[in-house]
PDB file of all heavy atoms in Angstrom:
ATOM      1  N   SER G   3       0.923  -1.221  -0.023  1.00 45.00           N
ATOM      2  CA  SER G   3       0.009   0.015  -0.054  1.00 45.00           C
ATOM      3  C   SER G   3       0.785   1.258   0.031  1.00 45.00           C
ATOM      4  O   SER G   3       1.934   1.275   0.515  1.00 45.00           O
ATOM      5  CB  SER G   3      -0.915   0.029   1.232  1.00 45.00           C
ATOM      6  OG  SER G   3      -0.144  -0.084   2.430  1.00 45.00           O
ATOM      7  N   GLY G   4       0.228   2.184  -0.653  1.00 44.00           N
ATOM      8  CA  GLY G   4       0.975   3.663  -0.510  1.00 44.00           C
ATOM      9  C   GLY G   4       2.129   3.741  -1.502  1.00 44.00           C
ATOM     10  O   GLY G   4       2.900   4.705  -1.349  1.00 44.00           O
ATOM     11  N   HIS G   5       2.315   2.901  -2.512  1.00 50.00           N
ATOM     12  CA  HIS G   5       3.355   3.083  -3.421  1.00 50.00           C
ATOM     13  C   HIS G   5       3.034   4.257  -4.326  1.00 50.00           C
ATOM     14  O   HIS G   5       2.023   4.487  -4.623  1.00 50.00           O
ATOM     15  CB  HIS G   5       3.485   1.909  -4.409  1.00 50.00           C
ATOM     16  CG  HIS G   5       4.186   0.741  -3.764  1.00 50.00           C
ATOM     17  ND1 HIS G   5       4.879  -0.187  -4.489  1.00 50.00           N
ATOM     18  CD2 HIS G   5       4.263   0.301  -2.480  1.00 50.00           C
ATOM     19  CE1 HIS G   5       5.425  -1.021  -3.634  1.00 50.00           C
ATOM     20  NE2 HIS G   5       5.019  -0.735  -2.431  1.00 50.00           N
ATOM     21  N   ILE G   6       4.129   5.109  -4.439  1.00 61.00           N
ATOM     22  CA  ILE G   6       4.007   6.291  -5.337  1.00 61.00           C
ATOM     23  C   ILE G   6       4.944   5.971  -6.570  1.00 61.00           C
ATOM     24  O   ILE G   6       6.046   5.615  -6.382  1.00 61.00           O
ATOM     25  CB  ILE G   6       4.587   7.600  -4.536  1.00 61.00           C
ATOM     26  CG1 ILE G   6       3.791   7.798  -3.292  1.00 61.00           C
ATOM     27  CG2 ILE G   6       4.570   8.714  -5.386  1.00 61.00           C
ATOM     28  CD1 ILE G   6       4.386   8.720  -2.321  1.00 61.00           C
ATOM     29  N   GLU G   7       4.188   6.163  -7.661  1.00 62.00           N
ATOM     30  CA  GLU G   7       4.923   5.680  -8.934  1.00 62.00           C
ATOM     31  C   GLU G   7       6.251   6.360  -9.223  1.00 62.00           C
ATOM     32  O   GLU G   7       7.152   5.705  -9.606  1.00 62.00           O
ATOM     33  CB  GLU G   7       3.984   5.990 -10.166  1.00 62.00           C
ATOM     34  CG  GLU G   7       4.511   5.412 -11.368  1.00 62.00           C
ATOM     35  CD  GLU G   7       3.366   5.532 -12.574  1.00 62.00           C
ATOM     36  OE1 GLU G   7       2.463   4.825 -12.477  1.00 62.00           O
ATOM     37  OE2 GLU G   7       3.614   6.245 -13.388  1.00 62.00           O
ATOM     38  N   ASN G   8       6.242   7.722  -9.074  1.00 68.00           N
ATOM     39  CA  ASN G   8       7.531   8.364  -9.340  1.00 68.00           C
ATOM     40  C   ASN G   8       8.572   7.986  -8.321  1.00 68.00           C
ATOM     41  O   ASN G   8       9.855   8.012  -8.715  1.00 68.00           O
ATOM     42  CB  ASN G   8       7.382   9.857  -9.361  1.00 68.00           C
ATOM     43  CG  ASN G   8       6.564  10.301 -10.562  1.00 68.00           C
ATOM     44  OD1 ASN G   8       6.678   9.698 -11.576  1.00 68.00           O
ATOM     45  ND2 ASN G   8       5.853  11.461 -10.438  1.00 68.00           N
ATOM     46  N   GLN G   9       8.184   7.835  -7.122  1.00 72.00           N
ATOM     47  CA  GLN G   9       9.192   7.374  -6.087  1.00 72.00           C
ATOM     48  C   GLN G   9       9.659   5.998  -6.256  1.00 72.00           C
ATOM     49  O   GLN G   9      10.890   5.876  -6.302  1.00 72.00           O
ATOM     50  CB  GLN G   9       8.391   7.265  -4.591  1.00 72.00           C
ATOM     51  CG  GLN G   9       9.290   7.217  -3.446  1.00 72.00           C
ATOM     52  CD  GLN G   9       8.560   7.191  -2.206  1.00 72.00           C
ATOM     53  OE1 GLN G   9       7.657   6.395  -1.951  1.00 72.00           O
ATOM     54  NE2 GLN G   9       8.895   8.027  -1.374  1.00 72.00           N
ATOM     55  N   ASP G  10       8.930   5.058  -6.896  1.00 75.00           N
ATOM     56  CA  ASP G  10       9.410   3.802  -7.248  1.00 75.00           C
ATOM     57  C   ASP G  10      10.320   3.787  -8.415  1.00 75.00           C
ATOM     58  O   ASP G  10      11.378   3.091  -8.447  1.00 75.00           O
ATOM     59  CB  ASP G  10       8.122   2.856  -7.719  1.00 75.00           C
ATOM     60  CG  ASP G  10       7.463   2.296  -6.524  1.00 75.00           C
ATOM     61  OD1 ASP G  10       7.895   2.417  -5.392  1.00 75.00           O
ATOM     62  OD2 ASP G  10       6.385   1.706  -6.678  1.00 75.00           O
ATOM     63  N   LYS G  11      10.067   4.767  -9.323  1.00 81.00           N
ATOM     64  CA  LYS G  11      11.082   4.978 -10.497  1.00 81.00           C
ATOM     65  C   LYS G  11      12.479   5.469  -9.942  1.00 81.00           C
ATOM     66  O   LYS G  11      13.446   4.955 -10.463  1.00 81.00           O
ATOM     67  CB  LYS G  11      10.489   6.171 -11.425  1.00 81.00           C
ATOM     68  CG  LYS G  11       9.356   5.526 -12.390  1.00 81.00           C
ATOM     69  CD  LYS G  11       8.965   6.578 -13.301  1.00 81.00           C
ATOM     70  CE  LYS G  11       7.868   6.094 -14.216  1.00 81.00           C
ATOM     71  NZ  LYS G  11       7.492   7.191 -15.248  1.00 81.00           N
ATOM     72  N   MET G  12      12.345   6.276  -8.891  1.00 82.00           N
ATOM     73  CA  MET G  12      13.598   6.685  -8.324  1.00 82.00           C
ATOM     74  C   MET G  12      14.356   5.546  -7.737  1.00 82.00           C
ATOM     75  O   MET G  12      15.633   5.476  -7.745  1.00 82.00           O
ATOM     76  CB  MET G  12      13.313   7.966  -7.336  1.00 82.00           C
ATOM     77  CG  MET G  12      12.993   9.214  -7.956  1.00 82.00           C
ATOM     78  SD  MET G  12      14.139   9.930  -9.182  1.00 82.00           S
ATOM     79  CE  MET G  12      13.237   9.381 -10.761  1.00 82.00           C
ATOM     80  N   TYR G  13      13.664   4.741  -6.955  1.00 81.00           N
ATOM     81  CA  TYR G  13      14.408   3.675  -6.382  1.00 81.00           C
ATOM     82  C   TYR G  13      14.945   2.778  -7.416  1.00 81.00           C
ATOM     83  O   TYR G  13      16.003   2.164  -7.270  1.00 81.00           O
ATOM     84  CB  TYR G  13      13.334   2.772  -5.517  1.00 81.00           C
ATOM     85  CG  TYR G  13      12.817   3.470  -4.262  1.00 81.00           C
ATOM     86  CD1 TYR G  13      11.446   3.477  -3.884  1.00 81.00           C
ATOM     87  CD2 TYR G  13      13.762   4.157  -3.479  1.00 81.00           C
ATOM     88  CE1 TYR G  13      11.091   4.092  -2.657  1.00 81.00           C
ATOM     89  CE2 TYR G  13      13.320   4.765  -2.267  1.00 81.00           C
ATOM     90  CZ  TYR G  13      11.921   4.706  -1.913  1.00 81.00           C
ATOM     91  OH  TYR G  13      11.574   5.246  -0.695  1.00 81.00           O
ATOM     92  N   SER G  14      14.131   2.534  -8.531  1.00 85.00           N
ATOM     93  CA  SER G  14      14.566   1.571  -9.549  1.00 85.00           C
ATOM     94  C   SER G  14      15.804   2.200 -10.342  1.00 85.00           C
ATOM     95  O   SER G  14      16.815   1.460 -10.606  1.00 85.00           O
ATOM     96  CB  SER G  14      13.465   1.269 -10.570  1.00 85.00           C
ATOM     97  OG  SER G  14      12.385   0.588  -9.907  1.00 85.00           O
ATOM     98  N   LEU G  15      15.704   3.471 -10.460  1.00 89.00           N
ATOM     99  CA  LEU G  15      16.859   4.115 -11.166  1.00 89.00           C
ATOM    100  C   LEU G  15      18.121   4.067 -10.339  1.00 89.00           C
ATOM    101  O   LEU G  15      19.075   3.787 -10.904  1.00 89.00           O
ATOM    102  CB  LEU G  15      16.336   5.588 -11.400  1.00 89.00           C
ATOM    103  CG  LEU G  15      17.178   6.445 -12.358  1.00 89.00           C
ATOM    104  CD1 LEU G  15      16.958   5.949 -13.722  1.00 89.00           C
ATOM    105  CD2 LEU G  15      16.769   7.940 -12.321  1.00 89.00           C
ATOM    106  N   PHE G  16      17.885   4.062  -9.141  1.00 86.00           N
ATOM    107  CA  PHE G  16      19.159   3.956  -8.269  1.00 86.00           C
ATOM    108  C   PHE G  16      19.775   2.677  -8.229  1.00 86.00           C
ATOM    109  O   PHE G  16      20.942   2.593  -8.449  1.00 86.00           O
ATOM    110  CB  PHE G  16      18.653   4.338  -6.742  1.00 86.00           C
ATOM    111  CG  PHE G  16      19.762   4.779  -5.956  1.00 86.00           C
ATOM    112  CD1 PHE G  16      20.206   6.146  -5.983  1.00 86.00           C
ATOM    113  CD2 PHE G  16      20.475   3.963  -5.049  1.00 86.00           C
ATOM    114  CE1 PHE G  16      21.209   6.680  -5.272  1.00 86.00           C
ATOM    115  CE2 PHE G  16      21.538   4.500  -4.291  1.00 86.00           C
ATOM    116  CZ  PHE G  16      21.942   5.781  -4.291  1.00 86.00           C
ATOM    117  N   TYR G  17      18.848   1.594  -8.103  1.00 84.00           N
ATOM    118  CA  TYR G  17      19.693   0.261  -8.131  1.00 84.00           C
ATOM    119  C   TYR G  17      19.989  -0.289  -9.409  1.00 84.00           C
ATOM    120  O   TYR G  17      20.785  -1.251  -9.688  1.00 84.00           O
ATOM    121  CB  TYR G  17      18.964  -0.826  -7.310  1.00 84.00           C
ATOM    122  CG  TYR G  17      17.701  -1.302  -7.707  1.00 84.00           C
ATOM    123  CD1 TYR G  17      17.469  -2.134  -8.790  1.00 84.00           C
ATOM    124  CD2 TYR G  17      16.474  -0.889  -7.058  1.00 84.00           C
ATOM    125  CE1 TYR G  17      16.177  -2.721  -9.144  1.00 84.00           C
ATOM    126  CE2 TYR G  17      15.153  -1.408  -7.491  1.00 84.00           C
ATOM    127  CZ  TYR G  17      15.190  -2.249  -8.407  1.00 84.00           C
ATOM    128  OH  TYR G  17      13.884  -2.766  -8.836  1.00 84.00           O
ATOM    129  N   THR G  18      19.327   0.255 -10.536  1.00 90.00           N
ATOM    130  CA  THR G  18      19.677  -0.341 -11.905  1.00 90.00           C
ATOM    131  C   THR G  18      20.789   0.387 -12.669  1.00 90.00           C
ATOM    132  O   THR G  18      21.506  -0.260 -13.416  1.00 90.00           O
ATOM    133  CB  THR G  18      18.368  -0.259 -12.844  1.00 90.00           C
ATOM    134  OG1 THR G  18      17.964   1.109 -12.903  1.00 90.00           O
ATOM    135  CG2 THR G  18      17.283  -1.118 -12.377  1.00 90.00           C
ATOM    136  N   ILE G  19      20.890   1.808 -12.226  1.00 92.00           N
ATOM    137  CA  ILE G  19      21.804   2.549 -13.084  1.00 92.00           C
ATOM    138  C   ILE G  19      22.899   3.182 -12.013  1.00 92.00           C
ATOM    139  O   ILE G  19      24.079   3.303 -12.331  1.00 92.00           O
ATOM    140  CB  ILE G  19      21.129   3.622 -13.855  1.00 92.00           C
ATOM    141  CG1 ILE G  19      20.299   2.921 -14.944  1.00 92.00           C
ATOM    142  CG2 ILE G  19      22.092   4.713 -14.396  1.00 92.00           C
ATOM    143  CD1 ILE G  19      19.207   3.838 -15.663  1.00 92.00           C
ATOM    144  N   ILE G  20      22.488   3.800 -10.960  1.00 91.00           N
ATOM    145  CA  ILE G  20      23.409   4.616 -10.058  1.00 91.00           C
ATOM    146  C   ILE G  20      24.370   3.696  -9.360  1.00 91.00           C
ATOM    147  O   ILE G  20      25.471   3.907  -9.252  1.00 91.00           O
ATOM    148  CB  ILE G  20      22.564   5.454  -9.176  1.00 91.00           C
ATOM    149  CG1 ILE G  20      21.620   6.385  -9.924  1.00 91.00           C
ATOM    150  CG2 ILE G  20      23.495   6.374  -8.325  1.00 91.00           C
ATOM    151  CD1 ILE G  20      22.236   7.282 -11.047  1.00 91.00           C
ATOM    152  N   ILE G  21      23.873   2.511  -8.704  1.00 92.00           N
ATOM    153  CA  ILE G  21      24.683   1.630  -7.915  1.00 92.00           C
ATOM    154  C   ILE G  21      25.804   1.099  -8.748  1.00 92.00           C
ATOM    155  O   ILE G  21      27.016   0.965  -8.383  1.00 92.00           O
ATOM    156  CB  ILE G  21      23.893   0.631  -7.139  1.00 92.00           C
ATOM    157  CG1 ILE G  21      23.010   1.339  -6.053  1.00 92.00           C
ATOM    158  CG2 ILE G  21      24.734  -0.437  -6.668  1.00 92.00           C
ATOM    159  CD1 ILE G  21      22.143   0.417  -5.379  1.00 92.00           C
ATOM    160  N   PRO G  22      25.405   0.512 -10.002  1.00 93.00           N
ATOM    161  CA  PRO G  22      26.576  -0.035 -10.800  1.00 93.00           C
ATOM    162  C   PRO G  22      27.618   1.076 -11.200  1.00 93.00           C
ATOM    163  O   PRO G  22      28.764   0.779 -11.572  1.00 93.00           O
ATOM    164  CB  PRO G  22      25.795  -0.478 -12.046  1.00 93.00           C
ATOM    165  CG  PRO G  22      24.426  -0.753 -11.585  1.00 93.00           C
ATOM    166  CD  PRO G  22      24.105   0.163 -10.536  1.00 93.00           C
ATOM    167  N   LEU G  23      27.109   2.392 -11.305  1.00 94.00           N
ATOM    168  CA  LEU G  23      28.052   3.383 -11.526  1.00 94.00           C
ATOM    169  C   LEU G  23      29.051   3.614 -10.280  1.00 94.00           C
ATOM    170  O   LEU G  23      30.166   3.849 -10.505  1.00 94.00           O
ATOM    171  CB  LEU G  23      27.247   4.739 -11.898  1.00 94.00           C
ATOM    172  CG  LEU G  23      28.009   6.086 -11.799  1.00 94.00           C
ATOM    173  CD1 LEU G  23      28.991   6.185 -13.074  1.00 94.00           C
ATOM    174  CD2 LEU G  23      27.163   7.267 -11.775  1.00 94.00           C
ATOM    175  N   LEU G  24      28.412   3.711  -9.196  1.00 92.00           N
ATOM    176  CA  LEU G  24      29.087   4.070  -7.930  1.00 92.00           C
ATOM    177  C   LEU G  24      30.178   2.900  -7.465  1.00 92.00           C
ATOM    178  O   LEU G  24      31.269   3.254  -6.955  1.00 92.00           O
ATOM    179  CB  LEU G  24      28.190   4.357  -6.874  1.00 92.00           C
ATOM    180  CG  LEU G  24      27.339   5.633  -6.973  1.00 92.00           C
ATOM    181  CD1 LEU G  24      26.362   5.817  -5.798  1.00 92.00           C
ATOM    182  CD2 LEU G  24      28.136   6.807  -7.177  1.00 92.00           C
ATOM    183  N   ASN G  25      29.726   1.658  -7.479  1.00 91.00           N
ATOM    184  CA  ASN G  25      30.467   0.578  -6.967  1.00 91.00           C
ATOM    185  C   ASN G  25      31.933   0.537  -7.285  1.00 91.00           C
ATOM    186  O   ASN G  25      32.774   0.506  -6.399  1.00 91.00           O
ATOM    187  CB  ASN G  25      29.764  -0.817  -7.340  1.00 91.00           C
ATOM    188  CG  ASN G  25      28.810  -1.142  -6.311  1.00 91.00           C
ATOM    189  OD1 ASN G  25      28.690  -0.644  -5.206  1.00 91.00           O
ATOM    190  ND2 ASN G  25      27.972  -2.214  -6.576  1.00 91.00           N
ATOM    191  N   PRO G  26      32.319   0.559  -8.600  1.00 91.00           N
ATOM    192  CA  PRO G  26      33.865   0.564  -8.893  1.00 91.00           C
ATOM    193  C   PRO G  26      34.660   1.618  -8.186  1.00 91.00           C
ATOM    194  O   PRO G  26      35.803   1.492  -7.825  1.00 91.00           O
ATOM    195  CB  PRO G  26      33.852   0.620 -10.525  1.00 91.00           C
ATOM    196  CG  PRO G  26      32.554   1.140 -10.905  1.00 91.00           C
ATOM    197  CD  PRO G  26      31.627   0.716  -9.836  1.00 91.00           C
TER     198      PRO G  26
END
């Protein structure tokens, strides 16, 4: 309950694109 679509996009963006950028 209470999922916000744009918030979910930000979470997804973080673990699909930002984390692979930051890790190395």
Side-chain angles (χ1 to χ4, degrees):
S3 59
H5 279 210
I6 302 170
E7 188 173 291
N8 287 333
Q9 193 177 52
D10 281 354
K11 282 184 182 180
M12 291 303 104
Y13 291 137
S14 293
L15 198 64
F16 205 79
Y17 70 72
T18 56
I19 295 172
I20 304 303
I21 289 177
L23 167 70
L24 295 177
N25 270 347

